[in-house]
Amino acid sequence: MEPVSVIGAGLAGCEAAWQLAGRGVPVVLHEMKPEKMTPAHHAPEYAELVCSNSLRSDQLENAVGLLKEELRRSGSLILACADAHRVEAGGALAVDRHAFSRAVTEQIRSHPLITVEEGEVRQIPDRGQVIVASGPLTSEALSAEIERLLPGSRYLNFYDAAAPLVTFDSVDMDHAWFASRYDKGTADYVNCALSEEEYAAFWRELCAAQEAEVHGFEDKSVFEGCMPVEVMARRGVDTLRYGPLKPKGLRDPRTGQTPYAVVQLRKDNADGTIYNLVGFQTHLKWPEQRRVFSMIPALKNAEFVRYGVMHRNTYLDSPRLLDRYYRVRGNERLMFAGQITGVEGYVESTASGFLCAVELARRLLDKPPVDFPQETALGALALYVSNESVGDFQPMNVNFGIIPPLDHRVKGKRNKNAELSQRALGLLETLDWT
């Protein structure tokens, strides 16, 4: 059988390669690292994550939790490696980023049906099956090639941001404590309290802080799920207190009271030596980040091991281009997977790589398509991305809003979401995705 070309060894590309190879389909996986890196890349391993909690909630009352469970039950490489290298984070699936990426890389490189070719892909093969999983920072050369193959199509752009990292030893625990919101799960977060006066001073300086130059940046171009903290702050004095600095469900053990505002820190590695500032994605200048974020009492002497960064993300106008299998309409040998399709988030990228690879393998093996139903998170995401009725297409996280409602009323949102998840997992068991 002629090998399938998979371009990009991020989460989507690795998942796609693994699913194809596991069904007996040979794969040539192209990856430009370490020869060429993007602004978001820091290590040579595959499936690189920006932060430890990139895989988000692990609860079935949350749509991304359902999506992860569907992938687990379907034999996902990414979820298996994530579960093997998780770190404590309450109800979320957080991982030791480096151990996770190493594990994915070892699995991919050791599979006898996967051949890795390093170096930038500047041209898409003109024959055979191709899955483009080049990510939201697709190189200029490959972007030009995609536009050549998709005449009349258009890319859409938005900006993504990563939060700073600090060492745990530098956090002043006299002004912080370990807890999870509402004491849910284990006490995995470091909570940094601010009084009303401290918060007001912090907010004023954050709003006035100098930003790094980002060509073409406008607030309206920022994906809401990754809003820079300074942009959020400018929307109103209390916006942060209803967002990443909300104190609800947290009680300072020193006072017995709920603080005025709370900054949460989350483990970024299994050893617990490095912590991520939750919700503090930013594109402030690095000296400004140190100056302003050090105004948080617990971080007054913080050692920053990585500052927040901002980079451009690129994605397709997928509703006009792709079908429910992530194939290009009218050119079905060409498929796309990952954030370039407009699915937002690492779990969603993994899901797109999984689904398009399963469907491609079945086509190559003369089997009928699976057609994951919209009641499943896997199916709902693919059907949303390929829905031609979607007008102003924006990157989409999986959510229960794109899944059909139940045929009966259920009291309470969490109970309703739990039933939606059980329905999806029941349907999944009836499908043959082998």
Side-chain angles (χ1 to χ4, degrees):
M1 184 182 294
E2 185 176 10
V4 172
S5 296
V6 177
I7 302 174
L11 279 77
C14 287
E15 187 68 50
W18 184 260
Q19 296 301 329
L20 287 164
R23 290 163 174 77
V25 179
V27 175
V28 176
L29 178 61
H30 300 267
E31 172 55 48
M32 69 181 187
K33 294 194 309 180
E35 178 184 297
K36 183 174 182 178
M37 310 285 272
T38 76
H41 290 149
H42 301 282
E45 288 82 19
Y46 308 153
E48 187 175 355
L49 300 176
V50 173
C51 67
S52 65
N53 197 41
S54 295
L55 305 181
R56 311 191 327 270
S57 173
D58 210 26
Q59 307 297 305
L60 286 178
E61 296 83 5
N62 189 297
V64 75
L66 168 61
L67 184 58
K68 284 201 285 291
E69 186 60 25
E70 290 180 5
L71 288 166
R72 282 192 184 96
R73 297 189 183 192
S74 303
S76 164
L77 168 68
I78 296 301
L79 264 295
C81 292
D83 286 335
H85 296 283
R86 68 188 302 155
V87 298
E88 292 304 320
L93 174 57
V95 302
D96 183 317
R97 293 182 298 136
H98 303 297
F100 164 79
S101 294
R102 284 195 299 269
V104 174
T105 304
E106 289 168 5
Q107 291 288 333
I108 290 293
R109 284 192 169 276
S110 64
H111 199 293
L113 288 182
I114 300 176
T115 302
V116 176
E117 290 191 2
E118 293 182 348
E120 181 185 3
V121 173
R122 304 178 68 86
Q123 288 188 317
I124 292 175
D126 57 8
R127 60 188 295 267
Q129 304 293 324
V130 181
I131 297 176
V132 180
S134 51
L137 295 178
T138 298
S139 69
E140 291 185 9
L142 185 55
S143 291
E145 175 73 353
I146 292 170
E147 290 186 299
R148 182 185 70 80
L149 290 175
L150 303 175
S153 69
R154 64 192 178 103
Y155 275 130
L156 304 175
N157 297 314
F158 70 103
Y159 289 83
D160 203 359
L165 302 176
V166 298
T167 63
F168 174 71
D169 287 346
S170 68
V171 178
D172 184 352
M173 294 302 293
D174 288 338
H175 294 87
W177 72 99
F178 280 99
S180 289
R181 205 176 299 276
Y182 300 108
D183 294 323
K184 182 179 178 181
T186 53
D188 300 320
Y189 293 81
V190 175
N191 299 278
C192 309
L194 292 91
S195 68
E196 184 173 0
E197 295 76 15
E198 291 164 343
Y199 174 81
F202 168 75
W203 175 79
R204 285 193 299 269
E205 292 303 313
L206 181 59
C207 290
Q210 291 184 315
E211 300 173 5
E213 291 185 8
V214 179
H215 180 68
F217 175 77
E218 295 178 337
D219 285 0
K220 67 181 181 181
S221 301
V222 180
F223 175 53
E224 288 286 341
C226 228
M227 178 72 64
V229 66
E230 64 273 11
V231 175
M232 197 182 306
R234 295 187 197 113
R235 295 187 169 184
V237 66
D238 286 324
T239 302
L240 294 178
R241 294 183 60 245
Y242 287 92
L245 274 72
K246 65 182 178 184
K248 192 174 181 181
L250 296 168
R251 191 178 298 276
D252 189 337
R254 298 168 303 168
T255 65
Q257 302 297 316
T258 298
Y260 190 77
V262 175
V263 174
Q264 288 195 304
L265 311 181
R266 180 176 53 222
K267 275 186 186 178
D268 195 71
N269 63 355
D271 294 332
T273 58
I274 299 174
Y275 274 70
N276 180 292
L277 276 67
V278 178
F280 271 61
Q281 301 90 348
T282 180
H283 67 119
L284 294 179
K285 291 183 176 181
W286 289 1
E288 289 289 79
Q289 292 184 42
R290 172 179 288 277
R291 180 181 69 83
V292 176
F293 298 156
S294 295
M295 295 179 68
I296 299 164
L299 302 182
K300 62 183 178 182
N301 297 313
E303 176 190 359
F304 290 85
V305 294
R306 185 192 72 190
Y307 289 105
V309 294
M310 190 98 180
H311 55 84
R312 177 181 59 84
N313 278 357
T314 303
Y315 61 100
L316 295 169
D317 186 12
S318 293
R320 258 57 65 186
L321 293 172
L322 305 181
D323 65 16
R324 66 182 297 171
Y325 313 119
Y326 297 94
R327 302 180 304 189
V328 174
R329 295 190 183 102
N331 187 7
E332 282 75 13
R333 77 173 188 89
L334 181 59
M335 309 175 75
F336 287 85
Q339 285 186 254
I340 196 172
T341 69
V343 299
E344 172 57 28
Y346 287 121
V347 180
E348 290 84 347
S349 294
T350 300
S352 68
F354 169 85
L355 189 148
C356 78
V358 168
E359 299 293 6
L360 174 56
R362 292 181 68 85
R363 185 153 42 96
L364 293 173
L365 298 171
D366 294 322
K367 294 182 177 181
V370 180
D371 287 345
F372 288 89
Q374 192 175 1
E375 287 79 7
T376 65
L378 280 163
L381 193 63
L383 288 165
Y384 177 83
V385 165
S386 60
N387 187 347
E388 294 182 79
S389 69
V390 176
D392 182 19
F393 181 62
Q394 297 291 323
M396 173 63 73
N397 288 121
V398 68
N399 61 82
F400 284 116
I402 62 175
I403 295 176
L406 298 167
D407 59 5
H408 58 280
R409 291 182 62 85
V410 176
K411 186 176 181 179
K413 182 179 179 180
R414 289 178 61 84
N415 293 333
K416 180 186 72 174
N417 291 348
E419 283 206 27
L420 288 168
S421 291
Q422 292 306 318
R423 180 185 68 178
L425 296 175
L427 283 171
L428 190 69
E429 293 299 318
T430 69
L431 302 176
D432 176 16
W433 61 81
T434 57

